[in-house]
Amino acid sequence: MDENDQNSHKNALHNEVLCKIGRNVLLFQQIEGILKFLVSNHHADGTMADFMERQQKRDKKVQKQMMGTLVEQYTEGILSDAGEPTNEPEDVTESWVSISFKRTGDKDYYDSQKADMKLMVDERNNLIHHFLSRWHPESVEHLAAASAYLDQQRDKVLPMLEHFKSFTKSMQESRQAMAAFLASDEGERQLELIWLQNSPLVNLLREVASQKARPDGWTYLSDAGRAAFIHEPDAVKHMKEQYGHSTLKRLLIASELFEVLDEPLRNGNFQTLFRLKRLVSH
């Protein structure tokens, strides 16, 4: 190969390496962008009044974070146990909504995911911060080695991009399905039922049912009425407006948490009793 051919070959390798550097940088930027989306959107919570504002604050905070921090948050937040309880503020006075998306697996899956993400972060740092030591544009041998290294790096990292894309697609499909359900009549009914079951007045009825039950497990509705007038007077006074039901008996039935019984009396009248529904074990 004469000198002109050597120079031509070296220039081609030079341009090839520069193109592959850009390709790999773009690959890492794509991963970083998807990680920001996942970390920002895998969990959302708040009251109906501040739900969107809290989400916007999360988005803004995540956009400033570096790759290492994003990977740490992905590992701790998304790869953690899906059965892990979600804590809500103790001073909340309105209905609190919390939605989480998790990716679960056995210990081997968890460990392999952590190892893959550490590898990805290390490869990203090697390219951005340490590639200069591989850059010898005057040497054909070094340029060829750098080109091969960049190809190997892409092969290592590309599966992680596909993995994150797959999870993002699954999460978006789940969110769309959830949004469609919540917009349906049944979804609206379920939301109202959840709110009712966790409302202060129904929680009080639960306590009365547990603390003032007769030996047979039934509790007098009159006892619940007296407790409600003492501890939740405003709720009782405005029961129809706040709860959609004008009597405690109707509220008990609507909550779907209690059995209600009208027990006959000797004088021909009856007294209303209630108790928590028993869980059916299989």
Side-chain angles (χ1 to χ4, degrees), residues 37-262:
F37 173 82
L38 291 174
V39 169
S40 177
N41 290 276
H42 84 279
H43 177 78
D45 58 27
T47 64
M48 297 304 292
D50 67 3
F51 190 88
M52 292 305 299
E53 180 183 354
R54 289 172 62 86
Q55 181 60 44
Q56 290 169 358
K57 287 181 179 179
R58 276 189 292 270
D59 290 341
K60 186 176 181 180
K61 181 178 179 181
V62 167
Q63 292 306 313
K64 300 177 181 178
Q65 293 173 347
M66 303 298 290
M67 178 76 84
T69 304
L70 292 170
V71 166
E72 181 180 348
Q73 292 184 340
Y74 179 91
T75 303
E76 293 179 355
I78 297 177
L79 292 181
S80 59
D81 182 4
E84 192 175 293
T86 300
N87 297 322
E88 63 182 55
E90 297 180 356
D91 58 348
V92 171
T93 57
E94 303 177 52
S95 297
W96 182 265
V97 179
S98 179
I99 303 170
S100 294
F101 295 89
K102 303 281 187 178
R103 182 142 238 179
T104 60
D106 58 20
K107 185 177 183 301
D108 289 341
Y109 173 81
Y110 181 80
D111 290 344
S112 68
Q113 285 292 296
K114 286 185 66 176
D116 286 346
M117 286 187 287
K118 182 181 184 305
L119 173 66
M120 178 190 66
V121 173
D122 289 344
E123 291 294 337
R124 183 261 182 196
N125 289 338
N126 285 336
L127 177 63
I128 301 301
H129 302 296
H130 307 297
F131 185 79
L132 191 60
S133 62
R134 297 177 179 272
W135 180 242
H136 300 284
E138 73 287 347
S139 168
V140 172
E141 290 76 13
H142 280 89
L143 286 171
S147 179
Y149 165 80
L150 291 166
D151 284 340
Q152 292 169 3
Q153 183 179 72
R154 178 180 182 274
D155 291 341
K156 291 177 184 177
V157 176
L158 189 59
M160 290 302 298
L161 175 62
E162 298 306 321
H163 171 80
F164 289 135
K165 281 183 176 180
S166 174
F167 181 49
T168 300
K169 181 180 179 181
S170 298
M171 192 174 80
Q172 288 176 320
E173 289 174 348
S174 298
R175 290 175 63 168
Q176 290 169 358
M178 180 180 296
F181 172 73
L182 294 178
S184 68
D185 292 341
E186 178 61 18
E188 184 176 351
R189 190 189 80 82
Q190 289 293 335
L191 280 179
E192 291 177 353
L193 182 60
I194 291 171
W195 177 86
L196 190 64
Q197 290 178 345
N198 292 277
S199 62
L201 192 51
V202 171
N203 282 331
L204 176 63
L205 294 173
R206 275 200 189 104
E207 292 180 14
V208 174
S210 300
Q211 297 174 5
K212 295 185 176 295
R214 301 187 317 194
D216 61 1
W218 290 96
T219 302
Y220 296 110
L221 181 59
S222 56
D223 286 343
R226 283 190 289 270
F229 273 108
I230 294 172
H231 299 289
E232 295 288 344
D234 289 338
V236 174
K237 183 178 179 180
H238 302 288
M239 193 186 310
K240 180 64 176 178
E241 296 90 331
Q242 293 183 12
Y243 292 85
H245 304 282
S246 56
T247 66
L248 285 178
K249 182 178 180 179
R250 291 179 179 176
L251 181 62
L252 286 165
I253 296 171
S255 73
E256 301 183 11
L257 293 173
F258 304 92
E259 297 177 65
V260 179
L261 171 68
D262 289 330

